[in-house]
Amino acid sequence: MKNKKRYHKKLKFTYINITMLVLFGCLLYFKGYTPYKQTGDNLFHVRVNGQEVGVIGQSERAEELLSQARRNVAMGSEELLFMEAELELTGEAALWGEADDEESVLRNMEGVLRASIQPSMHRSYTVKINENILNMGSVEEVQQLLQAAIDKYDTEGKFSVKLVYDTNREFGVLTTNVVNRESETEDTDNSYLGAGIQNFFSEISGVVETEEEKDFDDYELGTLGMDFSEKIVAVETYLPKEQLTPLEDAINLIVMEQEMPSIYEVVAGDTLTAIAIKVNLPMEQIVEMNDILEDVNTTLHIGDKLLITVPEPELSVTRVEERYYEEVYDAEIKYIENPKWYTSRVEVRQQPHAGFRKVVARVTYVNDKEVSREILKEEIAMEAVPKIVERGTQVPPTYIKPLNGGKVTSTFGNRPRPTAGASTYHQAIDWGTPTGTPIYASSGGTVSRAGWIGSYGYAIYITHPDGRETRYAHLSKILVKPGQKVKQGDKIALSGNTGVTTGPHLHFEMIINGKKVDPFKNGVPR
């Protein structure tokens, strides 16, 4: 009996074990459950942009599902969409765990992506012109913008802007060609600037060297070619609509003339008045812009560089024209250089006479400013006679103040008679200074007189290589002798109170061509 009971207990225990094993096996293979594996994580929590979208059993499926979600969201819009899609996986090694249905995970991903879509972006083209960045809404707008710059100078309507994709660039980049509308392709012989302004000039140089003599009627007159002075590129990009530049505003920006700084170099014959007329600026404005000019009467020197402003558009256009004209012309001035003369000495040896000629010329402009002119054919009806000028090449001597300190007590010109015997028209400069003040040679030269000279008292005369003479009067002591050579700044005397005078001072004169002149107006500083 005991054996029977023991048998039943053993059978019951075996039945329970078999039942548990069957149930455990069913759980392992039941749909939606992932079996426990000793190899590592087997359940993955998926987050997109920080939001949990489900649990999956294979990590590599997360990337695939996210890619599919992005495609599904993008298919519903004609615009290019920009959306955040940051994927994050957290794995765990689970004995028991339920994975979500992939369709559910995919829908959750799509919802998160739609919520992250940025404002609509438009395909646009960014054009950089000098310091200006213009964002145009289409290729057509870029073309219209650049065409407006060309049309400003293309009075014949012969040229158009062509935009070409640069095949050497990885991204969408457009470059420009300005072509003759009559040309069927950009590289035909009639398209002078099809390959750029530099190539055009190279072609012209080659043609000039090889072409045969032509009659005036053989030349192709008018505009030969046009191009932009700077290289223009348009880069394809995607931008929000509010960042696009309206076409009309962009055209106004690059076509309207603005004041641009420029440098004018003074040439022979220039005066401030002539320069003001040339650059179309008031003389006062030119003086205000340049520290080297004290006022409108400031002396100009050849080579001086003046800052000016000129009206120019933001985008410059270079064009080449072939022109026929008839003109009265002047021959170039011929100079005879004389090394024995100072540069201040100029004498005309032959007076000029204008000539008359017919001309075909190739003229290059940047905007409306002529930058070069090449005469291709010239027929002279009457030859011009050049002006011949002899000029010195030696730099003339300079003059310094003949003493240190001192107070100007009498200038050059009319004055009340200071003492009996003195002149009411003072032809010198007086500096009041204590007796014994050192007096210096204003410039190098030869002492012609030194001693007592009438009302001058003790005085010194010095002749200078440029023909001038300086005189120093009312001295207390003379330190040089007649015939002695002195250099600029040499000590020649001590000031005093000799001769006809009202007190100790230096009386200083300058004589040019036998006439006394104002030293302050002839190079001597105060």
Side-chain angles (χ1 to χ4, degrees):
M1 189 66 158
K2 286 183 178 179
N3 289 334
K4 189 175 182 180
K5 288 182 178 180
R6 192 178 292 115
Y7 172 77
H8 281 294
K9 285 182 179 179
K10 185 177 181 181
L11 184 63
K12 183 178 180 182
F13 180 75
T14 302
Y15 174 77
I16 293 172
N17 284 342
I18 292 172
T19 302
M20 292 296 292
L21 287 172
V22 170
L23 289 173
F24 182 71
C26 290
L27 288 173
L28 288 177
Y29 294 99
F30 189 80
K31 183 179 180 181
Y33 284 86
T34 300
Y36 174 73
K37 297 179 182 178
Q38 296 294 332
T39 56
D41 295 341
N42 60 350
L43 274 182
F44 299 90
H45 295 267
V46 184
R47 289 181 176 82
V48 175
N49 299 338
Q51 298 184 45
E52 187 159 345
V53 294
V55 178
I56 60 176
Q58 296 175 306
S59 60
E60 58 271 18
R61 285 292 292 155
E63 288 284 356
E64 296 172 2
L65 290 172
L66 183 59
S67 296
Q68 183 60 49
R70 295 185 65 167
R71 285 194 294 270
N72 292 347
V73 172
M75 286 174 61
S77 174
E78 295 181 358
E79 297 287 343
L80 182 67
L81 299 180
F82 287 81
M83 62 189 84
E84 294 184 18
E86 184 177 347
L87 180 66
E88 181 183 355
L89 296 177
T90 304
E92 62 173 310
L95 179 62
W96 306 99
E98 181 179 1
D100 294 322
D101 180 70
E102 288 190 354
E103 286 296 326
S104 175
V105 175
L106 182 63
R107 286 193 300 271
N108 291 341
M109 284 181 170
E110 292 175 3
V112 173
L113 292 179
R114 286 193 178 92
S116 71
I117 292 176
Q118 298 179 13
S120 295
M121 307 292 273
H122 296 264
R123 175 187 280 183
S124 56
Y125 294 84
T126 297
V127 184
K128 186 176 186 296
I129 299 174
N130 297 322
E131 300 304 317
N132 296 296
I133 302 294
L134 304 174
N135 299 317
M136 311 311 298
S138 65
V139 173
E140 291 73 23
E141 285 196 356
V142 176
Q143 198 277 336
Q144 292 175 53
L145 171 68
L146 300 178
Q147 188 65 47
I150 292 294
D151 289 345
K152 181 177 180 181
Y153 305 101
D154 182 16
T155 56
E156 303 167 80
K158 292 171 58 176
F159 297 90
S160 63
V161 177
K162 299 294 182 184
L163 298 174
V164 181
Y165 276 100
D166 188 341
T167 56
N168 296 320
R169 305 287 187 96
E170 182 178 352
F171 302 102
V173 175
L174 293 169
T175 58
T176 61
N177 275 342
V178 181
V179 299
N180 194 315
R181 294 180 191 275
E182 298 175 358
S183 304
E184 295 194 5
T185 59
E186 297 175 10
D187 57 350
T188 58
D189 292 339
N190 291 330
S191 182
Y192 287 91
L193 296 182
I197 195 74
Q198 296 301 327
N199 288 353
F200 172 55
F201 288 134
S202 299
E203 291 173 16
I204 288 177
S205 300
V207 171
V208 171
E209 293 174 359
T210 59
E211 68 182 8
E212 298 178 358
E213 184 68 24
K214 295 180 180 180
D215 292 330
F216 285 105
D217 294 337
D218 295 332
Y219 286 91
E220 178 186 352
L221 303 181
T223 305
L224 301 183
M226 301 183 76
D227 201 359
F228 299 110
S229 300
E230 303 87 18
K231 184 177 181 181
I232 305 295
V233 295
V235 180
E236 183 178 328
T237 185
Y238 290 87
L239 296 170
K241 187 174 182 179
E242 57 270 17
Q243 291 186 19
L244 300 182
T245 308
L247 178 59
E248 185 177 351
D249 293 350
I251 290 175
N252 287 337
L253 179 65
I254 70 164
V255 171
M256 290 182 63
E257 291 185 341
Q258 304 172 48
E259 294 296 330
M260 300 288 187
S262 183
I263 298 296
Y264 180 89
E265 185 170 341
V266 177
V267 298
D270 267 344
T271 63
L272 196 56
T273 302
I275 293 172
I277 294 172
K278 268 187 204 177
V279 301
N280 196 29
L281 285 176
M283 286 192 294
E284 293 76 10
Q285 185 175 336
I286 298 176
V287 171
E288 186 178 345
M289 295 172 63
N290 293 273
D291 293 336
I292 65 171
L293 302 177
E294 294 182 5
D295 53 43
V296 295
N297 297 314
T298 302
T299 302
L300 298 176
H301 302 90
I302 295 173
D304 282 349
K305 291 181 171 57
L306 302 179
L307 177 65
I308 60 172
T309 57
V310 293
E312 291 183 356
E314 193 65 39
L315 179 56
S316 293
V317 173
T318 299
R319 71 185 189 279
V320 179
E321 295 184 1
E322 205 163 80
R323 296 176 50 197
Y324 168 82
Y325 54 91
E326 299 176 0
E327 66 172 359
V328 174
Y329 76 101
D330 295 316
E332 289 188 10
I333 299 175
K334 293 184 178 180
Y335 291 98
I336 300 172
E337 310 291 352
N338 190 329
K340 296 181 180 180
W341 291 2
Y342 290 108
T343 54
S344 55
R345 183 176 176 183
V346 177
E347 295 184 11
V348 177
R349 297 302 183 201
Q350 177 176 284
Q351 292 295 340
H353 190 284
F356 182 79
R357 64 183 176 183
K358 300 177 181 179
V359 176
V360 171
R362 182 170 285 138
V363 187
T364 302
Y365 299 89
V366 174
N367 302 324
D368 285 324
K369 181 182 179 182
E370 180 179 326
V371 294
S372 68
R373 178 179 294 254
E374 177 190 6
I375 294 179
L376 304 179
K377 184 175 179 62
E378 179 183 54
E379 184 178 290
I380 297 176
M382 183 172 65
E383 191 165 358
V385 176
K387 183 178 184 179
I388 299 177
V389 177
E390 187 172 4
R391 62 185 181 184
T393 58
Q394 284 193 59
V395 177
T398 59
Y399 291 81
I400 64 172
K401 184 180 176 181
L403 76 166
N404 292 325
K407 179 182 178 182
V408 176
T409 55
S410 184
T411 56
F412 192 94
N414 293 316
R415 67 173 184 179
R417 191 185 305 276
T419 186
S423 171
T424 58
Y425 186 73
H426 192 234
Q427 299 184 81
I429 301 296
D430 286 349
W431 280 280
T433 189
T435 297
T437 300
I439 304 302
Y440 306 101
S442 181
S443 187
T446 303
V447 177
S448 57
R449 294 184 67 178
W452 187 272
I453 305 176
S455 62
Y456 281 171
Y458 287 111
I460 297 172
Y461 292 5
I462 300 177
T463 57
H464 304 281
D466 61 352
R468 298 187 186 191
E469 182 181 71
T470 52
R471 297 177 180 180
Y472 313 77
H474 306 309
L475 307 172
S476 62
K477 186 176 183 179
I478 294 175
L479 304 177
V480 293
K481 297 178 181 180
Q484 182 177 336
K485 302 287 186 182
V486 295
K487 299 190 296 294
Q488 185 180 66
D490 282 353
K491 186 176 177 180
I492 59 173
L494 300 178
S495 67
N497 190 26
T498 59
V500 179
T501 177
T502 57
H505 71 281
L506 172 67
H507 175 94
F508 178 76
E509 295 179 2
M510 179 178 284
I511 294 90
I512 299 178
N513 296 326
K515 181 180 178 182
K516 295 178 182 180
V517 298
D518 186 347
F520 286 160
K521 293 182 179 179
N522 288 275
V524 178
R526 291 180 177 271

